[in-house]
Amino acid sequence: MIPVCRLADLPRGEAYRLETDPPVAVFHTDDGEVLAIDDTCTHQDASLADGWVEGCEVECPLHASKFNLRTGAVDAPPARLPVRTHQVVLEDGVIYLLLSDAPPNLPPCAVARAGGGFA
Amino acid sequence: MKAVAVVGASLAGLSAARSLRQLGYDGRLLIIGAEPHRPYDRPPLSKEFLAGDIDEAALTLEADGEDLGAEWLLGTAAVGLDRRERTIRLGDGRTVRTDGVVLATGAGARTLPECESLAGVHVLRTLEDARALREDLARGGRLVVIGGGFIGAEVAATAHGLGLEVTVVEAAPTPLAGPLGQTMGQVVCELHADHGVRLLCGVGVQGISGGRRVDEVLLADGRRLPADTVVVGVGARPCVEWLAGSGVALRDGVECDAYGATSVPGVVAVGDCAAWYDPTAGCHRRVEHWTGARERPAVAVTTLLHGGAAAPQLPKPPYFWSDQYGLRIQFAGHAAGAESVTVEEGAVADRSFLAVYRRAGRPVAVLALNQTRLFTRWRRRLATALPAACSS
Ligand SMILES: Cc1cc2nc3c(=O)[nH]c(=O)nc-3n(C[C@H](O)[C@H](O)[C@H](O)COP(=O)(O)OP(=O)(O)OC[C@H]3O[C@@H](n4cnc5c(N)ncnc54)[C@H](O)[C@@H]3O)c2cc1C
Ligand code: FES
């Protein structure tokens, strides 16, 4: 389990970007849920932690595709692939992450970067 | 309603078709498109696709395996609408009967008279346009872009990245002054100079010359710009000629109320072809942005299926983005009518900043260069702020 931050340090409506590889975004929704997904949009290189959260959906800050924070499903173009979700554990007021071992759906540009190449 | 025809098979048309099914409409659904293609995404045509970073498959707008249960009539334009017979006439001679109509015919690139006859002179609106331009840019050499708007600027930036020698010619004293205002239009157009792209402002184009292929652009002040390739980026006009005489009221585009209804019952309009009434500004405006074409169809389709019973929801302020020289430009709201614009974060000189436009002390628009996180917050704040006045 990876410790993220104290729950008290992540106000409702805010997101925290964890600099793992690839990075993970942890959201505290307005309804008080804490949910985690891959931070990089599946369309292009945008950080979903910078996005617009409404209910349990985040709208990509660039081209407005919306991802469900619970399932990772994408509702509309331009993104066409779901984003990977991660399990969140709350213990003694601290947020922990259990990283998914499913393959991520990274956009072409981010894949090139992670691989050390420069497309 | 037993049959609905969506005219225009691009972003707004596809979004409308999706909304129809989401709202439970299970009748006949026809999607009529002048282009032979399934819906594809246009913004990359001046950016990643033109640069050769992504291929055509990446442009598709439909999800894998998505099935809307629609009949696609592609490669044929609608040429007439008969409101009494409730029919649409197609260019190939067919006629389709329908109970409801969604107009989503978008806009077409404006051109200059010389465009047709000379090789090497391009506009950029369709996939075919982009393929042809990409091929010509691969020849290298000198590119002249006529028009310093967003599409012109993006083409200039992409071509510069491909190694071409680029000049942008803009008739107005400041490019982008319309959408961004004078001050910020000036800031954003300085990006060209940052990268060694020449920008000539306040001078019109007299003509384009050449034999079979273009070789020069002639300016109104007598200067001649040698050119191997020319891109004409002088805006777009709504594709509504085919509706003349149909009874659908037209202005700059199809005139709609605040929920997409046209002057003809059972006919709504969305996307770049539609001029919706903006209640906060008290006038009609045609919004030529991707997000508008994607979000408004849900409202228009509700109008179509349930009459005027659409939820009176305040629309989000219009939002668009542009990518130039590796910088992310984002804008939301209306710059027209703003009395001041101030940089609230970062610095113009660093090409990383956020600027807020205000009218009577209240924010009406926000512009960001490489400030995505802060921009999202401001965009949200704007959604609850005061109306902007209409300029036109
Ligand atoms: C090169 C380029 C770059 C862009 N970049 C950005 C950007 O970075 N950010 C942004 O916010 N916006 C951008 N835009 C704008 C955005 O793409 C448009 O707002 C969007 O495509 C509008 O969608 P639409 O479906 O209303 O119209 P369109 O995409 O224009 O589609 C209309 C469709 O209707 C068809 N049609 C027309 N007449 C008929 C007829 N009589 N019968 C049947 N079919 C017909 C057309 O052939 C076309 O396929 C860009 C546009 C272009 C061209
Ligand atoms: S980068 Fe997220 S939708 Fe394009």
Side-chain angles (χ1 to χ4, degrees):
Chain A
M1 281 203 307
I2 305 175
V4 179
C5 64
R6 291 164 43 81
L7 181 61
D9 293 336
L10 185 63
R12 287 187 184 199
E14 296 284 317
Y16 184 92
R17 182 179 142 109
L18 195 68
E19 299 295 338
T20 41
D21 183 21
V24 170
V26 183
F27 296 88
H28 193 176
T29 68
D30 288 326
D31 305 329
E33 268 187 292
V34 180
L35 299 160
I37 59 174
D38 275 346
D39 181 56
T40 311
C41 182
T42 61
H43 176 234
Q44 282 175 16
D45 196 7
S47 165
L48 294 174
D50 292 350
W52 180 321
V53 184
E54 237 164 6
C56 80
E57 275 189 334
V58 62
E59 181 185 295
C60 172
L62 279 195
H63 312 135
S65 279
K66 283 187 194 148
F67 296 90
N68 185 301
L69 295 175
R70 288 199 197 103
T71 64
V74 63
D75 81 317
R80 280 179 293 139
L81 294 174
V83 70
R84 194 169 59 157
T85 57
H86 303 282
Q87 207 179 321
V88 170
V89 180
L90 283 175
E91 243 175 52
D92 302 327
V94 177
I95 303 171
Y96 294 92
L97 262 181
L98 273 171
L99 288 182
S100 157
D101 47 19
N105 285 326
L106 296 177
C109 42
V111 170
R113 208 187 36 198
F118 199 86
Chain B
M1 210 166 271
K2 291 207 181 73
V4 174
V6 175
V7 190
S10 181
L11 178 63
L14 175 64
S15 303
R18 280 185 175 141
S19 293
L20 278 162
R21 292 308 190 204
Q22 271 158 17
L23 290 172
Y25 170 74
D26 60 3
R28 189 172 182 210
L29 177 56
L30 293 150
I31 304 178
I32 301 163
E35 295 185 78
H37 313 290
R38 296 290 278 231
Y40 62 89
D41 206 20
R42 287 181 213 281
L45 299 183
S46 52
K47 311 178 185 74
E48 303 87 355
F49 181 78
L50 193 60
D53 293 340
I54 61 167
D55 58 14
E56 289 181 16
L59 299 177
T60 174
L61 283 173
E62 289 167 277
D64 292 339
E66 179 170 8
D67 183 7
L68 291 167
E71 294 162 56
W72 296 80
L73 305 176
L74 300 179
T76 183
V79 294
L81 175 77
D82 188 322
R83 57 186 293 198
R84 267 171 219 94
E85 300 289 322
R86 296 221 157 255
T87 56
I88 294 171
R89 215 156 22 86
L90 305 184
D92 63 9
R94 277 182 290 179
T95 298
V96 296
R97 244 207 57 83
T98 182
D99 305 311
V101 181
V102 179
L103 301 172
T105 48
R110 283 186 208 279
T111 57
L112 298 176
E114 291 86 349
C115 287
E116 317 301 59
S117 52
L118 280 177
V121 182
H122 301 262
V123 292
L124 183 53
R125 183 78 200 180
T126 65
L127 179 57
E128 283 75 14
D129 294 340
R131 283 180 190 149
L133 177 59
R134 188 155 103 162
E135 220 165 89
D136 262 4
L137 293 184
R139 304 157 65 112
R142 289 155 302 190
L143 170 72
V144 175
V145 178
I146 301 173
F150 284 110
I151 292 180
E154 288 180 357
V155 169
T158 302
H160 170 75
L162 292 170
L164 280 86
E165 191 187 307
V166 184
T167 305
V168 180
V169 185
E170 166 63 48
T174 312
L176 304 174
L180 300 184
Q182 201 72 32
T183 314
M184 287 300 151
Q186 184 59 41
V187 168
V188 170
C189 80
E190 281 166 11
L191 298 178
H192 295 303
D194 289 357
H195 294 84
V197 166
R198 184 156 63 133
L199 171 66
L200 306 174
C201 291
V203 57
V205 167
Q206 186 85 53
I208 305 174
S209 71
R212 204 191 62 79
R213 195 181 168 86
V214 58
D215 57 27
E216 267 185 345
V217 173
L218 318 173
L219 301 187
D221 61 8
R223 275 183 288 180
R224 295 162 169 271
L225 305 174
D228 301 297
T229 302
V230 171
V231 172
V232 180
V234 293
R237 36 151 201 87
C239 299
V240 294
E241 301 85 352
W242 69 283
L243 292 168
S246 67
V248 174
L250 305 174
R251 41 171 62 222
D252 174 34
V254 180
E255 184 177 304
C256 296
D257 71 5
Y259 304 102
T262 69
S263 59
V264 174
V267 180
V268 297
V270 290
D272 282 14
C273 73
W276 282 33
Y277 182 73
D278 181 343
T280 57
C283 61
H284 289 82
R285 10 183 169 217
R286 207 159 59 80
V287 177
E288 290 182 275
H289 305 153
W290 197 96
T291 40
R294 151 93 150 58
E295 287 166 359
R296 290 182 174 198
V299 179
V301 160
T302 309
T303 304
L304 182 68
L305 295 178
H306 308 297
Q313 198 191 23
L314 250 184
K316 284 183 189 171
Y319 159 54
F320 67 84
W321 72 88
S322 175
D323 302 327
Q324 299 172 28
Y325 304 105
L327 290 175
R328 203 158 267 171
I329 303 168
Q330 295 176 285
F331 184 90
H334 297 289
E339 292 153 354
S340 71
V341 51
T342 43
V343 173
E344 309 252 328
E345 185 71 37
V348 164
D350 297 339
R351 303 304 187 227
S352 169
F353 67 88
L354 179 125
V356 178
Y357 297 66
R358 288 190 172 79
R359 180 185 171 85
R362 311 190 67 137
V364 292
V366 54
L367 167 73
L369 252 73
N370 278 7
Q371 287 281 353
T372 311
R373 185 182 193 105
L374 210 54
F375 178 80
T376 305
R377 292 173 183 225
W378 269 98
R379 187 152 79 92
R380 169 170 283 186
R381 266 184 77 174
L382 267 192
T384 55
L386 247 206
C390 217
S391 61
S392 49

